[in-house]
């Protein structure tokens, strides 16, 4: 696709910084302040779909808060670390499509990779600011469902809002 105004190096870096901040902020604590920082990476009407051992769609500010709270109250994120893998940023005319890999590793008690997957994002620039408008997370086939199933099974009692 040809764009009238291709992405500049600065645009690409700003989007890449958003990817890094996403991974850093998801590793923050379960506080309301941390949830708000994370949600600030998205436009208010953003959508985030997750496909792992379940399929969920989170929409808007409240949906993204639910996603953040779910991740922090159901899974032991304090034992994990998220990182950016390889990525491709394409686009122009104030829109970008980003395909990138994510990696989750243990940072305590265990060693090695917890899981890997891909994000497919759509970013928009508004008033000079790049934020995510839609994100789809797909876990790779190596997903250790047996490891995560016990946490998912107890999600009804474990979920806590920040």
């Amino acid at each position: 696709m040809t764009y009238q105004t291709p992405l500049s190096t600065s645009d690409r870096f700003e989007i890449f910084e958003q990817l890094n901040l996403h991974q850093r902020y998801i590793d923050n604590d379960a506080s309301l302040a941390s949830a708000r920082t994370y949600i600030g990476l998205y436009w208010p009407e953003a959508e985030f779909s997750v496909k792992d051992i379940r399929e969920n769609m989170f929409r808007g500010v409240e949906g993204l808060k639910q996603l953040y709270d779910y991740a922090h109250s159901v899974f032991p994120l304090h034992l994990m670390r998220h990182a950016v893998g390889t990525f491709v940023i394409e686009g122009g005319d104030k829109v970008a499509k980003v395909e990138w890999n994510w990696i989750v590793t243990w940072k305590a008690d265990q060693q090695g990779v917890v899981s890997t997957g891909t994000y497919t994002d759509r970013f928009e620039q508004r008033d000079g600011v790049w934020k995510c408008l839609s994100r789809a997370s797909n876990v790779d086939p190596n997903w250790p469902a047996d490891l995560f199933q016990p946490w998912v099974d107890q999600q009804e009692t474990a979920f806590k809002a920040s």
Side-chain angles (χ1 to χ4, degrees), residues 15-161:
I15 293 166
F16 176 64
E17 182 67 8
Q18 292 285 319
L19 307 183
N20 281 300
L21 289 174
H22 175 271
Q23 299 301 67
R24 180 169 180 181
Y25 292 169
I26 197 69
D27 286 341
N28 283 351
D29 61 32
S31 69
L32 181 56
S34 290
R36 287 181 175 150
T37 300
Y38 174 80
I39 294 164
L41 297 171
Y42 297 86
W43 292 115
E45 70 277 19
E47 294 184 342
F48 192 140
S49 70
V50 177
K51 290 183 184 175
D52 48 32
I53 55 178
R54 65 210 191 295
E55 286 192 36
N56 288 310
M57 174 65 81
F58 303 91
R59 292 185 173 89
V61 172
E62 285 304 311
L64 291 167
K65 183 179 177 304
Q66 181 184 14
L67 167 70
Y68 189 87
D69 290 345
Y70 179 86
H72 280 271
S73 61
V74 174
F75 301 108
L77 291 190
H78 64 285
L79 300 176
M80 300 175 191
R81 177 175 292 118
H82 292 73
V84 175
T86 56
F87 62 95
V88 176
I89 301 170
E90 300 176 318
D93 302 331
K94 300 183 187 250
V95 297
K97 179 181 177 186
V98 184
E99 293 179 358
W100 55 298
N101 297 318
W102 53 263
I103 303 159
V104 179
T105 57
W106 292 109
K107 66 180 182 182
D109 298 333
Q110 298 185 37
Q111 292 182 328
V113 173
V114 177
S115 62
T116 61
T118 59
Y119 286 124
T120 303
D121 298 349
R122 178 180 165 88
F123 277 78
E124 282 191 5
Q125 184 187 48
R126 301 177 188 172
D127 297 323
V129 176
W130 285 99
K131 290 189 180 188
C132 187
L133 183 60
S134 68
R135 174 164 285 149
S137 176
N138 289 290
V139 158
D140 286 337
N142 67 355
W143 178 252
D146 57 329
L147 172 67
F148 284 84
Q149 192 63 54
W151 293 315
V152 171
D153 289 345
Q154 53 94 29
Q155 67 187 338
E156 298 295 323
T157 57
F159 181 83
K160 294 178 184 127

